[in-house]
Amino acid sequence: MIPNRGAHVTRLAVKEVNDIFEIRKALHGLMVRKFISVDEALIAAMDRDVSELERLSEMPEKVTEYVRISARLSMSIAARSDNTKLAEMIRSLARQTMRYTQLGLADPTRRLESAKNWRRVANALKAGDFDEAGAASDQLIEDSRHEAVKQLEATNAMSDKPKTAT
């Protein structure tokens, strides 16, 4: 927010995106690994949402819906965290990376990979294997970081090209 001018959206540098995703990955993985138990309601909700992600991953026009459900999955995991400060940090970092996550998930192949990772997280939580759930969570966020950086570098390369007069 800029006083007397309102909201201003900044373009992050590649290093900033890498830094934010690195922190998000570490904290999200920690959160998933620290689950004490998983209840049936969480598993049922995750199964429904992951099934929807799998369906949407093959629909090029459904990027926004895919990102919304993916964010809902992250937030539902955060809400069940035993550490409220950790959950708040996860939510904040997710908001900071949302536009880069959306850019990265624009590609149907990338959404398919994401859906597979979400399925891996859900299956691991269902089995009570929190280390596997954490590893799947790490992969989910690392893939998102990689694609976000790739998209950002492509965008920066396009905006850095000299403009020619027509």
Side-chain angles (χ1 to χ4, degrees):
M1 295 297 293
I2 299 172
N4 301 320
R5 295 182 73 201
H8 176 71
V9 178
T10 60
R11 186 172 88 177
L12 296 178
V14 170
K15 179 169 180 4
E16 290 172 302
V17 169
N18 277 320
D19 290 349
I20 292 169
F21 273 96
E22 180 180 30
I23 295 165
R24 184 176 170 205
K25 176 182 161 184
L27 293 179
H28 201 278
L30 173 68
M31 180 180 61
V32 171
R33 287 177 179 93
K34 292 192 63 75
F35 266 115
I36 296 168
S37 65
V38 177
D39 61 26
E40 293 294 320
L42 174 63
I43 294 303
M46 285 192 78
D47 275 340
R48 276 191 311 274
D49 283 347
V50 172
S51 292
E52 185 65 6
L53 289 180
E54 290 165 338
R55 187 180 75 75
L56 292 172
S57 68
E58 298 178 13
M59 305 169 119
E61 72 283 0
K62 299 294 185 177
V63 177
T64 302
E65 291 89 339
Y66 186 98
V67 171
R68 182 181 47 79
I69 293 169
S70 180
R72 184 171 66 212
L73 274 163
S74 288
M75 295 307 112
S76 72
I77 291 171
R80 287 174 172 83
S81 171
D82 192 36
N83 184 326
T84 54
K85 273 297 185 200
L86 179 59
E88 286 173 17
M89 294 168 94
I90 294 290
R91 284 190 289 270
S92 174
L93 290 168
R95 282 190 300 272
Q96 291 176 52
T97 58
M98 181 60 74
R99 65 183 151 160
Y100 298 102
T101 300
Q102 180 138 0
L103 266 177
L105 289 170
D107 175 32
T109 303
R110 176 63 196 100
R111 284 196 308 277
L112 189 57
E113 291 169 4
S114 170
K116 286 178 184 176
N117 280 323
W118 272 117
R119 178 57 67 196
R120 196 173 143 211
V121 171
N123 288 344
L125 288 175
K126 188 175 194 175
D129 187 345
F130 303 120
D131 285 333
E132 170 60 16
S137 173
D138 290 349
Q139 187 65 54
L140 182 71
I141 293 173
E142 181 59 25
D143 289 350
S144 189
R145 181 205 63 79
H146 179 266
E147 189 63 27
V149 167
K150 182 174 137 186
Q151 294 290 331
L152 184 58
E153 286 174 338
T155 300
N156 289 347
M158 291 298 290
S159 65
D160 291 343
K161 280 187 177 180
K163 309 278 189 258
T164 56
T166 55

